[in-house]
Short mmCIF file of all heavy atoms in Angstrom, two decimals:
data_model
loop_
_atom_site.label_atom_id
_atom_site.label_comp_id
_atom_site.label_asym_id
_atom_site.label_seq_id
_atom_site.Cartn_x
_atom_site.Cartn_y
_atom_site.Cartn_z
N CYS A 887 -29.54 -6.74 -13.54
CA CYS A 887 -28.48 -7.49 -14.23
C CYS A 887 -29.06 -8.77 -14.78
O CYS A 887 -29.81 -9.49 -14.11
CB CYS A 887 -27.39 -7.83 -13.19
SG CYS A 887 -26.04 -8.92 -13.84
N LEU A 888 -28.77 -9.05 -16.03
CA LEU A 888 -29.20 -10.27 -16.73
C LEU A 888 -28.04 -11.18 -16.89
O LEU A 888 -27.01 -10.84 -17.42
CB LEU A 888 -29.79 -9.92 -18.07
CG LEU A 888 -30.27 -11.10 -18.94
CD1 LEU A 888 -31.35 -11.93 -18.28
CD2 LEU A 888 -30.73 -10.56 -20.32
N VAL A 889 -28.16 -12.42 -16.34
CA VAL A 889 -27.12 -13.42 -16.40
C VAL A 889 -27.59 -14.59 -17.27
O VAL A 889 -28.57 -15.25 -16.91
CB VAL A 889 -26.70 -13.90 -14.98
CG1 VAL A 889 -25.58 -14.94 -15.10
CG2 VAL A 889 -26.31 -12.74 -14.13
N LEU A 890 -26.93 -14.81 -18.37
CA LEU A 890 -27.39 -15.80 -19.42
C LEU A 890 -26.47 -16.98 -19.53
O LEU A 890 -25.27 -16.82 -19.67
CB LEU A 890 -27.52 -15.14 -20.77
CG LEU A 890 -28.58 -14.04 -20.85
CD1 LEU A 890 -28.44 -13.35 -22.30
CD2 LEU A 890 -29.95 -14.59 -20.69
N ASP A 891 -27.07 -18.20 -19.46
CA ASP A 891 -26.36 -19.45 -19.70
C ASP A 891 -26.01 -19.54 -21.18
O ASP A 891 -26.84 -19.41 -22.06
CB ASP A 891 -27.29 -20.53 -19.30
CG ASP A 891 -26.69 -21.98 -19.38
OD1 ASP A 891 -25.66 -22.10 -20.10
OD2 ASP A 891 -27.26 -22.89 -18.82
N ILE A 892 -24.67 -19.73 -21.54
CA ILE A 892 -24.32 -19.90 -22.89
C ILE A 892 -23.73 -21.34 -23.13
O ILE A 892 -22.85 -21.50 -23.95
CB ILE A 892 -23.29 -18.83 -23.35
CG1 ILE A 892 -22.01 -18.80 -22.46
CG2 ILE A 892 -23.97 -17.49 -23.44
CD1 ILE A 892 -20.91 -17.94 -23.12
N SER A 893 -24.27 -22.28 -22.37
CA SER A 893 -23.83 -23.68 -22.61
C SER A 893 -24.44 -24.15 -23.96
O SER A 893 -25.38 -23.56 -24.44
CB SER A 893 -24.28 -24.57 -21.48
OG SER A 893 -25.68 -24.52 -21.29
N GLY A 894 -23.84 -25.18 -24.53
CA GLY A 894 -24.29 -25.62 -25.83
C GLY A 894 -25.75 -25.99 -25.95
O GLY A 894 -26.36 -25.87 -27.02
N SER A 895 -26.32 -26.48 -24.84
CA SER A 895 -27.76 -26.93 -24.85
C SER A 895 -28.70 -25.75 -25.12
O SER A 895 -29.85 -25.97 -25.39
CB SER A 895 -28.08 -27.67 -23.56
OG SER A 895 -27.78 -26.79 -22.43
N MET A 896 -28.19 -24.50 -24.97
CA MET A 896 -29.09 -23.30 -25.14
C MET A 896 -29.10 -22.92 -26.63
O MET A 896 -29.82 -21.94 -26.91
CB MET A 896 -28.53 -22.16 -24.34
CG MET A 896 -28.65 -22.32 -22.83
SD MET A 896 -30.29 -21.92 -22.21
CE MET A 896 -30.34 -20.15 -22.49
N SER A 897 -28.46 -23.63 -27.49
CA SER A 897 -28.28 -23.20 -28.84
C SER A 897 -29.62 -22.90 -29.56
O SER A 897 -29.76 -21.85 -30.20
CB SER A 897 -27.50 -24.28 -29.64
OG SER A 897 -27.45 -23.93 -31.04
N THR A 898 -30.57 -23.81 -29.46
CA THR A 898 -31.80 -23.64 -30.14
C THR A 898 -32.56 -22.39 -29.68
O THR A 898 -33.19 -21.66 -30.45
CB THR A 898 -32.74 -24.88 -30.00
OG1 THR A 898 -32.06 -26.01 -30.54
CG2 THR A 898 -34.08 -24.68 -30.70
N LEU A 899 -32.52 -22.16 -28.40
CA LEU A 899 -33.21 -21.00 -27.81
C LEU A 899 -32.62 -19.69 -28.35
O LEU A 899 -33.34 -18.72 -28.57
CB LEU A 899 -33.15 -21.00 -26.27
CG LEU A 899 -33.82 -22.24 -25.65
CD1 LEU A 899 -33.53 -22.17 -24.13
CD2 LEU A 899 -35.28 -22.21 -25.87
N TYR A 900 -31.30 -19.65 -28.53
CA TYR A 900 -30.66 -18.48 -29.09
C TYR A 900 -31.04 -18.33 -30.60
O TYR A 900 -31.34 -17.24 -31.06
CB TYR A 900 -29.15 -18.56 -28.90
CG TYR A 900 -28.67 -18.18 -27.49
CD1 TYR A 900 -28.24 -19.14 -26.64
CD2 TYR A 900 -28.68 -16.88 -27.07
CE1 TYR A 900 -27.83 -18.86 -25.34
CE2 TYR A 900 -28.27 -16.49 -25.82
CZ TYR A 900 -27.82 -17.52 -24.96
OH TYR A 900 -27.42 -17.20 -23.67
N LYS A 901 -30.96 -19.40 -31.32
CA LYS A 901 -31.19 -19.34 -32.78
C LYS A 901 -32.65 -18.93 -33.05
O LYS A 901 -32.87 -18.20 -34.06
CB LYS A 901 -30.94 -20.70 -33.39
CG LYS A 901 -29.44 -21.07 -33.51
CD LYS A 901 -29.25 -22.43 -34.10
CE LYS A 901 -27.80 -22.82 -34.18
NZ LYS A 901 -27.57 -24.15 -34.76
N LYS A 902 -33.58 -19.33 -32.26
CA LYS A 902 -35.00 -18.94 -32.48
C LYS A 902 -35.33 -17.54 -32.04
O LYS A 902 -36.47 -17.07 -32.23
CB LYS A 902 -35.93 -19.94 -31.72
CG LYS A 902 -35.96 -21.36 -32.40
CD LYS A 902 -36.96 -22.24 -31.63
CE LYS A 902 -37.08 -23.59 -32.35
NZ LYS A 902 -38.10 -24.44 -31.64
N GLY A 903 -34.38 -16.89 -31.42
CA GLY A 903 -34.62 -15.50 -30.95
C GLY A 903 -35.35 -15.40 -29.63
O GLY A 903 -35.74 -14.31 -29.22
N LEU A 904 -35.53 -16.54 -28.93
CA LEU A 904 -36.27 -16.53 -27.69
C LEU A 904 -35.50 -15.87 -26.55
O LEU A 904 -36.10 -15.21 -25.69
CB LEU A 904 -36.64 -17.97 -27.28
CG LEU A 904 -37.57 -18.71 -28.25
CD1 LEU A 904 -37.82 -20.16 -27.73
CD2 LEU A 904 -38.85 -17.98 -28.42
N VAL A 905 -34.18 -15.98 -26.60
CA VAL A 905 -33.40 -15.32 -25.52
C VAL A 905 -33.37 -13.83 -25.77
O VAL A 905 -33.45 -13.03 -24.84
CB VAL A 905 -31.93 -15.83 -25.53
CG1 VAL A 905 -31.11 -15.16 -24.47
CG2 VAL A 905 -31.99 -17.36 -25.25
N GLN A 906 -33.34 -13.42 -27.04
CA GLN A 906 -33.39 -11.96 -27.36
C GLN A 906 -34.70 -11.36 -26.86
O GLN A 906 -34.71 -10.28 -26.19
CB GLN A 906 -33.29 -11.77 -28.87
CG GLN A 906 -33.60 -10.36 -29.34
CD GLN A 906 -32.56 -9.31 -28.92
OE1 GLN A 906 -31.40 -9.62 -28.83
NE2 GLN A 906 -32.98 -8.06 -28.71
N ARG A 907 -35.81 -12.04 -27.13
CA ARG A 907 -37.09 -11.56 -26.68
C ARG A 907 -37.20 -11.47 -25.17
O ARG A 907 -37.67 -10.45 -24.59
CB ARG A 907 -38.21 -12.51 -27.21
CG ARG A 907 -39.57 -12.29 -26.62
CD ARG A 907 -40.20 -10.96 -26.97
NE ARG A 907 -41.55 -10.85 -26.42
CZ ARG A 907 -42.26 -9.72 -26.32
NH1 ARG A 907 -41.70 -8.60 -26.67
NH2 ARG A 907 -43.45 -9.72 -25.82
N PHE A 908 -36.66 -12.48 -24.50
CA PHE A 908 -36.65 -12.45 -23.07
C PHE A 908 -35.80 -11.32 -22.50
O PHE A 908 -36.16 -10.61 -21.57
CB PHE A 908 -36.17 -13.77 -22.48
CG PHE A 908 -36.26 -13.89 -20.95
CD1 PHE A 908 -37.45 -14.16 -20.34
CD2 PHE A 908 -35.14 -13.64 -20.17
CE1 PHE A 908 -37.57 -14.23 -18.95
CE2 PHE A 908 -35.20 -13.72 -18.80
CZ PHE A 908 -36.41 -13.95 -18.18
N ALA A 909 -34.61 -11.07 -23.09
CA ALA A 909 -33.72 -10.04 -22.66
C ALA A 909 -34.47 -8.65 -22.84
O ALA A 909 -34.28 -7.78 -21.95
CB ALA A 909 -32.49 -10.02 -23.49
N GLU A 910 -35.25 -8.50 -23.87
CA GLU A 910 -35.99 -7.24 -24.02
C GLU A 910 -36.98 -7.02 -22.92
O GLU A 910 -37.19 -5.89 -22.46
CB GLU A 910 -36.68 -7.24 -25.36
CG GLU A 910 -35.74 -7.15 -26.57
CD GLU A 910 -36.48 -7.36 -27.91
OE1 GLU A 910 -37.73 -7.39 -27.92
OE2 GLU A 910 -35.79 -7.46 -28.93
N ARG A 911 -37.57 -8.12 -22.43
CA ARG A 911 -38.53 -7.99 -21.35
C ARG A 911 -37.84 -7.59 -20.03
O ARG A 911 -38.35 -6.85 -19.24
CB ARG A 911 -39.29 -9.34 -21.16
CG ARG A 911 -40.10 -9.69 -22.39
CD ARG A 911 -40.49 -11.12 -22.43
NE ARG A 911 -41.83 -11.40 -21.93
CZ ARG A 911 -42.36 -12.59 -21.76
NH1 ARG A 911 -41.64 -13.66 -22.12
NH2 ARG A 911 -43.54 -12.76 -21.33
N ILE A 912 -36.61 -8.11 -19.84
CA ILE A 912 -35.84 -7.71 -18.65
C ILE A 912 -35.35 -6.28 -18.81
O ILE A 912 -35.28 -5.54 -17.78
CB ILE A 912 -34.65 -8.71 -18.45
CG1 ILE A 912 -35.18 -10.10 -18.25
CG2 ILE A 912 -33.85 -8.30 -17.20
CD1 ILE A 912 -36.25 -10.25 -17.16
#
Side-chain angles (χ1 to χ4, degrees):
C887 176
L888 176 60
V889 182
L890 294 174
D891 184 343
I892 57 168
S893 59
S895 57
M896 292 280 291
S897 175
T898 300
L899 299 175
Y900 281 106
K901 288 180 180 178
K902 289 184 175 180
L904 298 180
V905 178
Q906 170 69 31
R907 168 66 177 165
F908 184 80
E910 291 173 8
R911 298 161 98 184
I912 300 306

